[in-house]
Amino acid sequence: MEIESHLAVGPVFARHLGHRMYRGEYYAMQIDAHVTFVVDWDVDIISQMEATGNEMAVLSTYLTDIVGSIDKKTGKSLLNTRPIMCNTDFEGEGQGQHLRHGSQPEMEPTVRGTPQLQPFWAAGFSFGRGHFVVNVPYDLYLPMIFQGEEIS
């Protein structure tokens, strides 16, 4: 899908258009354009999703910095850490306020064998059953929203 730049009205509306392309796929994923994938990412993320045992689960996080985290020879991750969004606050002032999730320093996970529960959702990466796209649609009436799109 291409849209002429003068018709653009922000990322929330763009994601709404992207979700309109959903045609019943079993899984759905949303990522930012700057995401880099490791080898076997798809097998890994489906395994994590199935480990939840929850049809309505959505895997979501702020992604790890790529610098020094991927083996150049194998393409696999060098890290076994888990970013967790744990604090949320509004940044800015007045009408410019926006929601921002903070995260704890990445460490080896203490919860093993299942994804870590967290109360927040990140627009830059989410993965779940395809019906998520239908059940939790983007609000197409939020033009030019970038900071804080997670509350859409």
Side-chain angles (χ1 to χ4, degrees), residues 2-150:
E2 286 187 37
I3 297 176
E4 294 181 33
S5 62
H6 71 277
L7 298 174
V9 290
V12 172
F13 187 73
R15 291 185 196 273
H16 162 76
L17 292 177
H19 280 189
R20 289 187 61 180
M21 293 190 289
Y22 174 71
R23 295 294 180 262
E25 292 82 4
Y26 195 77
Y27 296 108
M29 180 172 68
Q30 174 178 296
I31 59 171
D32 281 347
H34 54 83
V35 171
T36 300
F37 293 92
V38 296
V39 170
D40 296 330
W41 69 270
D42 52 344
V43 174
D44 186 39
I45 198 70
I46 290 170
S47 173
Q48 290 181 45
M49 180 65 198
E50 296 305 317
T52 69
N54 183 341
E55 168 97 3
M56 304 305 279
V58 176
L59 304 179
S60 185
T61 193
Y62 286 157
L63 297 173
T64 302
D65 185 4
I66 190 172
V67 175
S69 64
I70 299 176
D71 186 305
K72 292 180 182 179
K73 291 182 181 174
T74 66
K76 296 201 177 249
S77 177
L78 296 170
L79 304 177
N80 190 27
T81 58
R82 184 181 292 169
I84 299 172
M85 297 179 296
C86 55
N87 299 318
T88 295
D89 203 354
F90 282 92
E91 291 182 347
E93 296 184 25
Q95 290 185 346
Q97 283 190 331
H98 56 274
L99 191 65
R100 177 69 181 163
H101 301 311
S103 57
Q104 68 184 34
E106 288 188 42
M107 298 183 303
E108 294 282 326
T110 56
V111 174
R112 298 184 187 274
T114 185
Q116 173 73 46
L117 294 177
Q118 59 187 9
F120 307 115
W121 176 78
F125 175 81
S126 64
F127 181 88
R129 286 290 314 277
H131 56 67
F132 169 76
V133 171
V134 175
N135 293 329
V136 189
Y138 269 95
D139 184 347
L140 69 139
Y141 298 107
L142 292 175
M144 304 313 281
I145 299 292
F146 176 70
Q147 293 291 351
E149 68 178 291
E150 281 92 351

